[in-house]
Amino acid sequence: MDVAISPSILSADFTNLEAELHRIADADFAHVDVMDNHFVPNLTLGLPVVERIVQVSPVPIDVHLMIEDPDRWAPGYAEAGAASVTFHAEAARAPVRLARELRRLGARAGVALRPATPVEPYLDLLAEVDMVLIMTVEPGFGGQAFIDGTLPKIRRTRAAIAASGLDVWVQVDGGVSTETVERAADAGANVFVAGSAVYGSDDAAARIAELRRLASAAHGH
Ligand code: DX5
Ligand code: ZN
C-alpha cells in the first residue's frame, strides 16, 4: 500500500454522524476514537454507537481504543465489523493473544504506543499485528500540537519493519496537518489520522486530497 488517510471523527459533529461520515467518503478509512475516561481523561462513545457507524459509513472503520482492559472489550469491535481495531500496548495484558483474536474475527490488528512509550519492547509483536500506531500527541483530545520528538521512534519502527520483511503499516495520530504530514511520512508513516485538519476544513474532500498528495510525495524518501 502507498499511503492512506484516516480522518478522525472526534472533530465531527456527534449529533450528525452519518452526514459527517459522508463528508469524508473520499478517505481510505474513518478513524473512530473510543475513550473510557480511565485510560485517558476523556469519554467519547462505545460499542453500540460503533456498530451503527459501521453500518452507515461509506468507508471502512479504523477503531482506536483508548481504554483499559482492551483484552476484554476489543474483540467486540471486530465482531461489529470494524476493518481495523487498534489497542494500546500500555493497557493490554496479553497483546499476542488479543491480536490473534482480532485477526481471527476478520479485523486488522493494531497496537498503539503513547508518545513516551518506546517501541523496542514491542518489536517481537510485529509478526502478530497489521499496524503500529505511533501517537504523535498525548492521547485524549483533538487539536493538540504534533510532537516532533516522536519522529525518531517512527523511523526506528519503520526500520524494524523493513528489516523484518513484514507488511506492517505505521499510523500516526495527533497534530497531523498539511504542516506536519510530510515530516511523519518522511520518517516512515504510511497511514495518517487527521481530525481537526479535515473536519475543520470547509472542503473536507479537498483537504484529504491535499494530505494524501503531500504524504505520498514525502513517503519512502
Ligand atoms: C487523540 C485521538 C486523535 C484525535 C486527533 O487522542 O486519538 O485521533 O482525533 O485529532 P487532531 O488530528 O485534531 O490532532
Ligand atoms: Zn485516534
Side-chain angles (χ1 to χ4, degrees):
M1 195 192 61
D2 186 24
V3 302
I5 307 296
S6 186
S8 166
I9 64 164
L10 187 61
S11 293
D13 177 354
F14 272 23
T15 68
N16 286 295
L17 278 181
E18 186 170 10
E20 292 286 71
L21 286 161
H22 280 88
R23 277 179 73 194
I24 59 161
D26 293 334
D28 300 283
F29 296 93
H31 182 87
V32 177
D33 291 299
V34 175
M35 305 186 191
D36 67 352
N37 221 8
H38 292 272
F39 183 73
V40 288
N42 196 5
L43 185 66
T44 54
L45 43 78
L47 187 54
V49 178
V50 173
E51 283 172 342
R52 276 297 288 151
I53 286 174
V54 167
Q55 289 166 7
V56 305
S57 175
V59 289
I61 298 303
D62 163 34
V63 172
H64 176 194
L65 298 173
M66 285 160 276
I67 62 171
E68 299 289 357
D69 203 4
D71 304 69
R72 175 171 174 189
W73 301 110
Y77 292 85
E79 283 166 346
S84 176
V85 178
T86 298
F87 58 86
H88 268 267
E90 303 89 349
R93 276 187 286 234
V96 171
R97 185 171 62 201
L98 179 54
R100 287 182 179 178
E101 176 72 355
L102 293 171
R103 283 173 149 184
R104 189 184 67 76
L105 293 168
R108 295 176 58 87
V111 63
L113 306 173
R114 304 180 85 121
T117 303
V119 70
E120 284 71 19
Y122 300 102
L123 291 179
D124 287 345
L125 275 180
L126 287 178
E128 305 287 345
V129 297
D130 301 289
M131 186 167 80
V132 179
L133 164 51
I134 308 288
M135 289 303 299
T136 44
V137 300
E138 280 300 337
F141 302 93
Q144 303 181 78
F146 186 90
I147 300 173
D148 280 307
T150 60
L151 290 168
K153 181 164 59 174
I154 298 169
R155 282 186 198 284
R156 296 199 307 273
T157 305
R158 177 53 73 192
I161 291 166
S164 73
L166 297 161
D167 180 21
V168 178
W169 297 353
V170 177
Q171 184 176 66
V172 284
D173 181 8
V176 174
S177 68
T178 52
E179 298 294 309
T180 59
V181 70
E182 291 164 296
R183 272 176 259 166
D186 180 68
N190 69 313
V191 185
F192 303 86
V193 176
S196 47
V198 170
Y199 277 102
S201 167
D202 289 339
D203 188 343
R207 185 57 57 84
I208 289 165
E210 177 72 352
L211 288 168
R212 191 182 278 125
R213 187 183 68 75
L214 292 168
S216 247
H219 183 61
H221 270 181

